[in-house]
Structure formats: C-alpha cells, structure tokens
Amino acid sequence: MSDAPRVGVVTFPGSLDDVDAQRAVRLSDATPVRLWHADDDLQNVDAVILPGGFSYGDYLRCGAIARFTTIMDAVVDAAKGGLPVLGICNGFQVLCEAHLLPGALVRNDHQQFICRDQKLRIENAETAWTRQFSQGEEIIIPLKNGEGGYIADEATLDRLEAEQRVVFRYLDGNPNGSRRDIAGIANEAGNVVGLMPHPEHAVEMGYGPDTAGGTRTGIDGQRIFTSALQALVGV
Amino acid sequence: MGRVVVDVMPKPEILDPQGKAIAGALPRLGFKNFINVRQGKRFELEVDGDVTEAVIAEVRDAAIKLLSNPVIEDVVSVRNATVEEATNV
C-alpha cells in the first residue's frame, strides 16, 4: 500500500485521541503519519488531523498554546494552500485559535463536562471531510467536552449560515450552549473542518455508539475519514 | 526588575459560566449583596530592567496575540505594577 494516501496526525503534549485518530485513518485504508508538535515538516502528507485532548493542559485557553507550535506554522501554511485539515474537539479549538476557522469555543453553559452519544445533522456534504455523506443525513458519534460551546458574533454566524459553512449541527438537544446548535464548521474553501464530537470513536463495530442495529454498532464516524481520502485518490 | 500587569476579562456579551457558578455560591456563604460575578485573568510579566513605554507596548502586543482571544475576551488593562505589587513575589 505504498501509494495509499498518507494522513498526518499531530501529537501535542497533552493530546489524548491521537492514537485513536491514527487508527481511524488506518481503518479507512490510508497510512497514518505521526507528526510531533515540535516538527516543522509535514512529511508530504495528503491531509492532517488535529486530534482531541488537552494540549498543553488547556492552559491559558484551550488550543491557545498549541496554536503557536512549529508544526502549526506548517499546518496553517498548508491549509491555506488547500490541504485537507480536520480538527476534532481540542483540534477544533486549535483551528479557531489559529484563525483558520472563525469564532471560539468556550466553557459549556451548564458548567459540566459532558460525555454522550450525540446525534448530528450533516448540513454541508460538500466539504473535504463530509463528501461521502448526503445532505441532511443524521449521524450519531460520541461527544465529550468541557469547553465545547461554539460562539462567534452574530455577523460571523450569519455569514457561516449564508455560505453553508455550518457543517454539523446538534440534534435532539444542544449539549453545550453552542450558538445556533453548531457542532462543526468549515473554512471558505471547505478543506478545513473543525467539529466538537469525535468521529474517530465511531469507526469500528464493537466500539462505537449504540444504534437501532445493536449495541456499539455505530460507525458513522468512518465516512469523515474516507471522505477526505476519496478526493485524494481521485475516486 | 520591573513588572507589568495585564488584566483580561470575558467580553460582556459572552456568557461566563465560571462567574455564574461563583455568583451562585456567594449567597450560600451569606454574601447576599452581589447581583453578578465575572471572572477574568491577571498576568504578571517581569522584565530585567525598568518598565519603559517600549516594554508596555510589547506587552500590549503579546496581550492581543497570546494572552487574550479577541473573539471572546477584552484586554482591559496593561500597566506598570505598583511598588507594592512589584515587590510582592
């Protein structure tokens, strides 16, 4: 599989779900490439994932210190050049701090850490990371965060809606006070996507959320990863 | 040695869950007079020398770039520490 797409997964000090993200990449028939926060080279990867966790202990603000690492300089440059970049949870926070995505994530309005299976609607099935879904499709993947409230000013929210850049929206209850039930957004070009819930925890039978089909059968997260690869291998 | 004090607060329109939790705890301790609490951050940056206008300007720059996120926070003050603050380790 030497010609399999190579997907970089960045590990910051305090990253938690980097190995799960690598596994999700492997299960989608791509080759995961470990990228270290202090690297300055993306090793010619075809896409990059910023995983969940607590980079730098969430000190200062979630993602604020990770944003200024050398690997992020490379990620920001590559993202502006069109490289598919996915930020999951803490990775979403890093993308916002890096200004690759607008807005910010703040502490959940109810002040509790929340961990549950979360229903989402795919609001834009044309981004690099959602093109294997259908528009309006409903999926369930795990959510776990303490600072997942998405906020931006009204003008930014209006622009995101108008430009179809809200990619994922919470269904059956807003878990954290996110404005307009926003669970994930994209940049203007659609190559950079950030979301709070965790698709990498719903990629293999026996480990994902419960569904009507049985206990831990949910694998709705898988297509997030294969979506990016579909473009890379030119299917 | 000089010291610069930076205060950062959540923007007024941003819900501050930490402040809200504190506001909820105060009356339970008998502090009944406070109708609202907001929690911010204070930073102290030390320099090897005097706090000059150039130092203040540099701290102001750092406050916007790193110490605060302008989407959700305001830098409400950047100032030279008082003598009392500067000697208080």
Side-chain angles (χ1 to χ4, degrees):
Chain A
M1 294 281 288
S2 61
D3 55 352
R6 300 168 73 248
V7 179
V9 178
V10 177
T11 299
F12 299 104
S15 288
L16 183 64
D17 297 318
D18 46 341
V19 176
D20 292 59
Q22 291 165 21
R23 180 168 155 276
V25 167
R26 203 174 300 115
L27 288 169
S28 58
D29 290 331
T31 303
V33 176
R34 295 185 60 182
L35 299 174
W36 184 236
H37 68 104
D39 292 348
D40 55 11
D41 174 18
L42 294 181
Q43 301 182 38
N44 292 315
V45 293
D46 301 297
V48 168
I49 296 171
L50 306 181
F54 303 86
S55 59
Y56 295 88
D58 277 350
Y59 291 175
L60 187 59
R61 295 176 307 277
C62 301
I65 298 177
R67 175 258 179 278
F68 290 104
T69 53
T70 47
I71 197 72
M72 279 307 297
D73 290 341
V75 170
V76 169
D77 278 351
K80 286 177 177 166
L83 187 80
V85 176
L86 176 69
I88 303 167
C89 197
N90 188 226
F92 184 13
Q93 294 163 338
V94 174
L95 290 175
C96 288
E97 284 283 342
H99 304 145
L100 284 173
L101 294 174
L105 283 308
V106 296
R107 194 170 293 269
N108 297 347
D109 58 354
H110 47 69
Q111 303 158 29
Q112 310 283 317
F113 190 96
I114 189 163
C115 180
R116 73 182 191 199
D117 294 339
Q118 178 68 47
K119 189 186 278 190
L120 307 172
R121 186 168 54 231
I122 308 291
E123 299 282 37
N124 180 343
E126 290 174 9
T127 76
W129 298 93
T130 53
R131 53 169 68 92
Q132 287 195 340
F133 296 93
S134 51
Q135 194 76 23
E137 187 175 345
E138 296 181 4
I139 67 171
I140 296 176
I141 60 177
L143 170 90
K144 44 168 194 168
N145 66 66
E147 304 196 29
Y150 179 74
I151 64 162
D153 60 39
E154 287 299 312
T156 302
L157 293 169
D158 287 343
R159 201 177 75 237
L160 287 172
E161 301 274 12
E163 296 173 356
Q164 278 80 52
R165 289 165 57 193
V166 176
V167 182
F168 305 93
R169 212 182 299 266
Y170 295 117
L171 293 181
D172 295 352
N174 184 328
N176 46 31
S178 289
R179 298 284 158 84
R180 303 192 193 185
D181 299 336
I182 289 172
I185 58 171
N187 67 345
E188 279 177 54
N191 63 306
V192 179
V193 170
L195 78 168
M196 250 4 245
H198 288 260
E200 80 280 20
H201 296 328
V203 294
E204 189 175 13
M205 294 287 276
Y207 300 93
D210 296 347
T211 72
T215 305
R216 299 190 181 182
T217 54
I219 55 167
D220 286 342
Q222 185 75 77
R223 277 175 291 161
I224 305 255
F225 302 95
T226 52
S227 285
L229 305 177
Q230 176 186 337
L232 298 173
V233 297
V235 176
Chain B
M1 189 196 74
R3 188 177 292 184
V4 181
V5 177
V6 179
D7 289 308
V8 173
M9 292 297 291
K11 282 184 185 293
E13 67 270 25
I14 301 290
L15 177 71
D16 171 16
Q18 295 179 110
K20 212 172 126 196
I22 296 163
L26 284 171
R28 292 199 290 275
L29 293 167
F31 301 110
K32 309 264 188 208
N33 285 318
F34 308 105
I35 57 170
N36 192 25
V37 177
R38 296 201 308 125
Q39 180 184 324
K41 295 182 184 130
R42 169 182 166 130
F43 302 88
E44 297 184 347
L45 284 73
E46 288 180 2
V47 289
D48 190 12
D50 292 336
V51 175
T52 61
E53 276 307 308
V55 167
I56 292 282
E58 191 177 355
V59 172
R60 203 168 274 131
D61 193 24
I64 296 294
K65 195 174 176 196
L66 179 62
L67 304 184
S68 72
N69 179 344
V71 175
I72 51 173
E73 296 168 319
D74 291 324
V75 179
V76 293
S77 85
V78 176
R79 61 182 176 81
N80 197 344
T82 62
V83 174
E84 192 179 34
E85 288 171 329
T87 50
N88 189 0
V89 183

